[in-house]
Amino acid sequence: MISASTHAGNATPFSKRLESLLSSNMNSRRAESREWRNTYQIFPLAYADAALYDLEPPKVTTLYGIRVPQGPKQVVRYDDGTGDELPVPLGTTAFVSGKTMFEMLPPELKSLAVRARAKYAPRPFAGIKDAKAMSTGLGIATKGLDELDDWDEEKVKTYPFLWKNPITHNLHFMVHPCAVREIFVDPLPANVPKRETHLYPDGAHLTDLDGVRTLLYRMQRPAIAPRLVYPHDWNERDLMIFHNRGLMHSVVGLFREDDLRVFHQCNLAATDQPEGPNEEDRAGIYALMN
């Protein structure tokens, strides 16, 4: 497989590290014993373009297809016991809506999402460079998050689970599951009755990595059901411009050794942090619990 891309802006170092991680995961899953046309695959990693350290997440990403490999469709096998499968074009970019991810949560998880913040590991993509992604792409299957010496606490990022679209005011569930180290949950306001169905009504600081990943998986997995994933069927000279603070995406494909996939990608680190839910947003969600 040959995969190339050209990046612009401050996100370049992150993009190169992520490409390396994606490539190592995809190559490790090549089914050499199968006929290429019958190859099954799994999602390599679901992510938004963001360094999650030092730099703020870009608002927009552009992708331009220069050379697109041609071949039969492949099948993404979720391989998580559900039997879910998704036919995809060769070399697709698959997209998932953060808005849908939030809106389909049950009330108790919505109440948690509007109060939660994710603290990311220092230089997270260096810390997981030797890790393997889960079969659904939602997080790391191995322990991951190696301890690094060269990092600055002031550059470590903590973001709300939900990022607000400044135009529509919709809330998007935008958590990068492979890079989160800790979760902070604010307590419920004093005027909100505490019920058994509320999660962490008094607030919490979750530091157990397995517990953090299990919770995020519970919240994110429903939104990547096959019917909710858009796999773009690339043609050469396609230009895609997408909202990087509202969509998660995944590079998908198992290639033959002589396939060539060349794209230009551009995203620029933003100057502001994503905006989270305000008190009015939270009040509307708390009302669902009554």
Side-chain angles (χ1 to χ4, degrees):
M1 179 190 72
I2 303 174
S3 179
S5 56
T6 300
H7 303 275
N10 290 329
T12 300
F14 152 71
S15 300
K16 289 181 178 178
R17 288 195 296 272
L18 184 55
E19 281 178 3
S20 175
L21 174 65
L22 291 173
S23 178
S24 66
N25 274 281
M26 286 191 288
N27 288 342
S28 69
R29 297 184 181 118
R30 182 182 294 275
E32 298 291 357
S33 62
R34 297 179 183 271
E35 290 293 331
W36 178 73
R37 289 178 178 270
N38 297 325
T39 296
Y40 285 89
Q41 57 176 304
I42 49 185
F43 283 121
L45 195 65
Y47 62 98
D49 292 323
L52 303 175
Y53 177 78
D54 190 19
L55 305 173
E56 303 301 345
K59 297 180 180 180
V60 175
T61 290
T62 63
L63 288 174
Y64 179 64
I66 299 173
R67 291 287 300 274
V68 179
Q70 300 299 312
K73 285 190 174 183
Q74 297 179 330
V75 177
V76 172
R77 177 176 287 170
Y78 286 54
D79 203 24
D80 63 349
T82 63
D84 280 352
E85 293 184 350
L86 175 70
V88 296
L90 178 64
T92 186
T93 307
F95 291 88
V96 173
S97 167
K99 176 177 179 289
T100 299
M101 188 174 287
F102 171 60
E103 291 182 346
M104 68 188 305
L105 290 175
E108 65 272 14
L109 290 180
K110 284 183 177 176
S111 171
L112 174 63
V114 296
R115 295 182 286 127
R117 289 165 287 132
K119 182 176 181 179
Y120 291 93
R123 297 173 52 219
F125 298 103
I128 61 172
K129 61 183 176 60
D130 296 321
K132 299 298 180 185
M134 297 180 67
S135 60
T136 56
L138 289 177
I140 299 300
T142 53
K143 194 68 176 179
L145 290 179
D146 294 338
E147 294 295 332
L148 304 174
D149 296 327
D150 183 19
W151 58 277
D152 185 342
E153 180 66 37
E154 293 185 357
K155 296 180 179 180
V156 173
K157 295 299 182 182
T158 300
Y159 295 124
F161 273 27
L162 305 179
W163 297 1
K164 179 178 286 192
N165 184 312
I167 305 300
T168 66
H169 305 295
N170 290 322
L171 297 173
H172 299 249
F173 194 108
M174 295 297 295
V175 179
H176 205 313
C178 76
V180 176
R181 168 167 277 179
E182 303 172 26
I183 294 175
F184 297 95
V185 182
D186 294 333
L188 287 168
N191 63 341
V192 176
K194 296 179 181 178
R195 304 183 185 279
E196 291 184 2
T197 51
H198 278 125
L199 300 175
Y200 308 110
D202 298 318
H205 179 197
L206 309 180
T207 59
D208 176 70
L209 191 56
D210 288 337
V212 165
R213 289 173 172 171
T214 298
L215 176 61
L216 289 175
Y217 193 85
R218 176 185 173 190
M219 300 178 82
Q220 293 183 294
R221 173 59 177 88
I224 67 165
R227 65 182 179 85
L228 299 175
V229 178
Y230 169 64
H232 184 67
D233 192 357
W234 284 100
N235 293 299
E236 292 184 0
R237 299 186 180 181
D238 277 359
L239 173 64
M240 180 175 287
I241 304 173
F242 64 89
H243 181 210
N244 186 58
R245 291 188 175 187
L247 295 172
M248 299 185 73
H249 61 284
S250 181
V251 180
V252 182
L254 286 174
F255 303 96
R256 297 171 297 188
E257 293 298 332
D258 58 347
D259 280 330
L260 181 64
R261 186 180 191 270
V262 182
F263 279 64
H264 282 177
Q265 175 183 346
C266 178
N267 54 64
L268 298 174
T271 56
D272 61 345
Q273 292 193 357
E275 178 186 357
N278 58 27
E279 292 305 319
E280 183 178 354
D281 297 321
R282 295 188 182 96
I285 297 302
Y286 299 149
L288 297 176
M289 302 290 290
N290 295 332

